[in-house]
Amino acid sequence: DGGITQSPKYLFRKEGQNVTLSCEQNLNHDAMYWYRQDPGQGLRLIYYSQIVNDFQKGDIAEGYSVSREKKESFPLTVTSAQKNPTAFYLCASRDRPQGNQPQHFGDGTRLSIL
Amino acid sequence: AQKVTQAQTEISVVEKEDVTLDCVYETRDTTYYLFWYKQPPSGELVFLIRRNSFDEQNEISGRYSWNFQKSTSSFNFTITASQVVDSAVYFCALSEISGGYQKVTFGTGTKLQVIP
């Protein structure tokens, strides 16, 4: 079945530590996105990528980094510079950056601070 | 700037009642798309419907129906004869071209609890 796989489902970070969240898709989609979800808030865009080897900052990129070396993979690193990383992180993809197709979402990763 | 408002934070209904989730949006563009997604406890957002700004026809799909009114910038979602499986957080989203890509803005979500 085609879809988006996020791992791990739960992740704990120590102070001063960088952690990486994995996102893999086998939908052959060009565009991929990372969102952060906090209680009572909508999804906020962290980074997006329209094509391999290219990515752009979203609304809340500070303290995060990404890479897009392969079409199917878009890992997100939460760096120690992100002082409030506790949240639910969702990865999404879309077949093309433009157009009206809906985004497909993974199951999410819940990140907490130890 | 685009904005999506879902004023209802949480709604509780008894099973078999009808329920309407409100969504109001703001945009300066004439071409845009509106979406509804469902987020069950598992966390994944599931796509429900897409509507473009030129199509104001209401739509019905089984127990779900959507009312799109450009005059009031609203895109409301009604569940008829609600069921326990409808319990989830529902997000309304607005998509338009911004800076050369399709920017999607989500509302804050409405948590629906259907009580058996």
Side-chain angles (χ1 to χ4, degrees):
Chain A
D1 287 339
I4 298 179
T5 302
Q6 290 187 241
S7 62
K9 195 169 181 66
Y10 299 95
L11 187 58
F12 298 91
R13 195 192 89 168
K14 295 180 181 179
E15 292 287 342
Q17 185 182 44
N18 293 353
V19 292
T20 297
L21 285 61
S22 170
C23 178
E24 303 279 332
Q25 55 102 355
N26 60 4
L27 300 166
N28 200 34
H29 285 176
D30 287 329
M32 297 187 74
Y33 310 81
W34 274 106
Y35 291 93
R36 171 177 170 144
Q37 184 179 12
D38 294 281
Q41 299 193 38
L43 278 65
R44 293 184 290 167
L45 182 65
I46 304 172
Y47 268 98
Y48 66 97
S49 169
Q50 301 186 71
I51 197 169
V52 176
N53 292 322
D54 180 69
F55 49 83
Q56 306 294 329
K57 292 182 180 180
D59 300 320
I60 55 166
E62 186 175 350
Y64 300 96
S65 67
V66 293
S67 64
R68 185 87 187 277
E69 297 176 1
K70 298 185 298 182
K71 187 175 185 177
E72 57 270 23
S73 180
F74 191 40
L76 173 73
T77 296
V78 184
T79 74
S80 56
Q82 174 49 246
K83 299 306 179 186
N84 183 24
T86 298
F88 187 57
Y89 291 87
L90 283 160
C91 179
S93 71
R94 196 208 304 250
D95 60 349
R96 291 174 289 122
Q98 308 295 337
N100 64 354
Q101 294 304 309
Q103 293 169 309
H104 293 250
F105 286 84
D107 288 342
T109 293
R110 193 166 298 280
L111 176 61
S112 302
I113 293 184
L114 281 177
Chain B
Q2 56 190 69
K3 183 179 179 182
V4 177
T5 301
Q6 294 181 256
Q8 304 152 307
T9 305
E10 291 191 40
I11 300 177
S12 290
V13 298
V14 177
E15 198 171 21
K16 298 184 182 177
E17 286 184 348
D18 298 347
V19 58
T20 296
L21 310 183
D22 299 330
C23 174
V24 175
Y25 62 93
E26 294 177 26
T27 178
R28 296 176 184 169
D29 281 9
T30 55
T31 302
Y32 53 88
Y33 302 94
L34 295 162
F35 300 84
W36 274 96
Y37 289 88
K38 174 182 180 179
Q39 185 180 37
S42 60
E44 175 184 359
L45 266 73
V46 177
F47 165 70
L48 295 176
I49 191 171
R50 172 188 63 230
R51 176 64 78 229
N52 73 54
S53 53
F54 299 107
D55 183 1
E56 286 193 72
Q57 281 189 346
N58 293 330
E59 180 159 336
I60 298 175
S61 176
R63 296 185 298 106
Y64 296 169
S65 62
W66 290 268
N67 185 341
F68 175 35
Q69 293 193 343
K70 288 181 73 172
S71 60
T72 56
S73 296
S74 65
F75 186 42
N76 297 337
F77 172 32
T78 297
I79 302 175
T80 303
S82 59
Q83 300 177 2
V84 173
V85 293
D86 295 327
S87 297
V89 180
Y90 292 85
F91 289 95
C92 180
L94 168 66
S95 179
E96 61 182 10
I97 296 291
S98 175
Y101 90 105
Q102 201 82 15
K103 180 180 172 64
V104 181
T105 299
F106 287 84
T108 52
T110 297
K111 183 177 181 179
L112 173 65
Q113 183 178 17
V114 180
I115 303 167

